Amino acid sequence: MSNQIEGMMQKTIEQIRQMADSNTVVGSPITCGDTVIIPISKISYGFASGGSDLPTKSQKDLFGGGAGAGITVEPIAFISIHNGSTTLLQIDPMHSSIDRIANSLPNLVDKAGEVLGKVKNMKKEKSELVEKSPLDKTPDPV
C-alpha cells in the first residue's frame, strides 16, 4: 500500500512543479514604449493523498485510494522600470513592516545611485578647481 500512495503523491508533486515554477512567481517582462513591467505573483498550493488496502476473500492486494491538489496564483505586485528608475507597484496594501521595507527598497536604491553620482561629480569639480587655482602656481622668474 505505501508504494501506491507514494506513487500518487509523487505524481501530484510533479504536476504542481509543472504548474508553479519560477516563471510563474516572477512573470515575463512586458515592454510598452520605454517602460518595462514585470509581474510578481504569490503561489499557494496544497495536496493530499490517501488510501487503504481493502481485504477481500477473492483478492489479497486490492487497494483503494486517491490524490488531489489545488493551486492558486495571485498577482501581488508589478515592478515598473522607466528611464532607469525602478518602482514597485504593490496591489495589496502593506500589512507589515517587512512589506513597507520591501516597497521602499527600489526607491532607496535609486536615491543611493543619485547621491553617489552627485558625490562623484563634486569630487571631479573639486579636483578641476584645484588644478586651475592661481594660488598653487609659482610665478615665473623675471
Side-chain angles (χ1 to χ4, degrees):
M1 172 179 85
S2 67
N3 287 338
Q4 293 169 332
I5 292 176
E6 287 176 18
M8 286 188 305
M9 288 180 62
Q10 194 67 13
K11 184 65 175 173
T12 304
I13 291 170
E14 287 174 21
Q15 293 296 320
I16 289 174
R17 282 188 186 149
Q18 288 177 359
M19 290 186 284
D21 63 358
S22 62
N23 293 326
T24 306
V25 176
V26 179
S28 300
I30 302 163
T31 304
C32 182
D34 58 352
T35 302
V36 176
I37 299 171
I38 303 170
I40 308 294
S41 299
K42 175 177 81 171
I43 297 177
S44 303
Y45 63 90
F47 63 94
S49 64
S52 177
D53 285 328
L54 302 173
T56 62
K57 295 179 182 175
S58 61
Q59 292 181 330
K60 292 183 179 181
D61 294 335
L62 188 59
F63 174 78
I71 186 167
T72 301
V73 179
E74 178 183 357
I76 58 169
F78 296 93
I79 297 174
S80 171
I81 304 168
H82 179 73
N83 292 333
S85 177
T86 305
T87 306
L88 180 68
L89 306 169
Q90 193 165 345
I91 294 173
D92 280 340
M94 294 172 274
H95 298 292
S96 68
S97 297
I98 299 295
D99 290 336
R100 288 188 285 280
I101 291 169
N103 189 40
S104 65
L105 278 177
N107 292 333
L108 290 174
V109 170
D110 288 342
K111 295 292 182 191
E114 289 174 15
V115 168
L116 290 175
K118 288 179 182 178
V119 168
K120 187 176 178 181
N121 286 338
M122 289 173 57
K123 285 183 180 180
K124 183 179 176 183
E125 290 172 3
K126 183 178 177 182
S127 67
E128 289 173 358
L129 286 174
V130 169
E131 289 175 6
K132 295 179 182 178
S133 174
L135 299 176
D136 292 341
K137 296 184 180 180
T138 55
D140 292 331
V142 182

